Amino acid sequence: MFKSKYFWLHIGLILIAICVLIAIVFSLLGMYTHHGEKIPIPKLLELTVDRGTNLCEDAGFELIVSDSVFVVGQRGGTIIAQKS
């Protein structure tokens, strides 16, 4: 069985098919996920929440306030941290 020419031919065809399938999947994933593209995010530190919301809406983003804290020396409603 393992010495058969057709057995090894089919094993080779299966390996080639697997390699081609993997190459197609990786190339399509790169196009689908826009790999390597970047979208600039506006710098919001030290801005008020209202100004930051307007700036984000102009850029096509949504500002989400996840926490509000009191920081000595900072005005109320000021953005003090940003996740990029």
Side-chain angles (χ1 to χ4, degrees):
M1 178 175 145
F2 293 119
K3 293 183 180 184
S4 170
K5 180 171 115 176
Y6 293 108
F7 173 78
W8 290 111
L9 175 67
H10 285 105
I11 293 293
L13 290 174
I14 289 170
L15 291 175
I16 290 171
I18 289 172
C19 290
V20 168
L21 185 63
I22 289 172
I24 289 171
V25 166
F26 277 112
S27 66
L28 290 177
L29 275 176
M31 290 186 304
Y32 179 74
T33 60
H34 303 285
H35 185 73
E37 291 183 17
K38 295 180 182 180
I39 300 173
I41 299 173
K43 184 178 177 187
L44 304 174
L45 297 176
E46 304 296 325
L47 296 177
T48 63
V49 173
D50 293 334
R51 176 71 180 122
T53 301
N54 292 337
L55 193 61
C56 284
E57 287 175 354
D58 292 343
F61 294 105
E62 178 184 4
L63 178 68
I64 298 174
V65 178
S66 64
D67 194 8
S68 59
V69 295
F70 175 76
V71 177
V72 177
Q74 291 283 341
R75 295 183 324 224
T78 301
I79 300 171
I80 60 170
Q82 174 181 354
K83 285 187 179 181
S84 299

